[in-house]
Amino acid sequence: MDTPNYRMPFVPSTLMTEGGSIDTCDMGESIAHNIMLLITTKKGENRYDENYGNDVWNLEFDNGITSAIWESVFIKSLRRQIQEYEPRIVNPQIDAHIQFVEHSYDTKEHTEIKKKVRIAINAKMEETGERFSFSTELFLSPMSID
């Protein structure tokens, strides 16, 4: 029997209703949810496993870190996390690229510059051999220019 993959966020109250059940999803979506948690969790933030989480968030406010160093630390850490916490995929090819995005608001008298990272992962699902692809974008920090 296949183990079900549960949709996130998990809502325990759905079990309390008559005939209550937990929403499920396919394996690819379940893996994507887990990868997003691995990406956004700071190493040491999980009280039950201090190794869970990405090392890069310890550099979050270090102005001396270049984009290339940030990307390298992020990729190395995410590769380690996938190997340790997401065994359903193998041979992940990870890419992370930082870019700066300007945005002007009608209600503000200044332009805001945000640092955004694009993340892409291509791998193979261990159980089925199917291709797995994941991509997301995160804003890292706001900066204002008057």
Side-chain angles (χ1 to χ4, degrees), residues 3-6 8 25-38 81-92 123-132:
T3 304
N5 297 294
Y6 297 108
M8 289 177 58
C25 59
D26 65 26
M27 187 183 309
E29 187 177 345
S30 176
I31 293 168
H33 287 305
N34 191 38
I35 287 175
M36 199 64 186
L37 277 176
L38 292 171
Q81 290 180 93
I82 289 172
Q83 191 172 27
E84 192 169 338
Y85 298 105
E86 189 46 84
R88 297 176 292 179
I89 60 173
V90 294
N91 302 323
K124 186 169 84 169
M125 287 194 247
E126 173 72 56
E127 186 177 307
T128 64
E130 292 176 69
R131 182 177 163 211
F132 172 80

Side-chain angles (χ1 to χ4, degrees), residues 28 31-33 35-36 39 78 119-123 132-136:
I31 293 168
H33 287 305
I35 287 175
M36 199 64 186
I39 288 170
L78 186 55
I119 303 160
I121 301 170
N122 288 300
F132 172 80
S133 294
F134 172 89
S135 65
T136 192

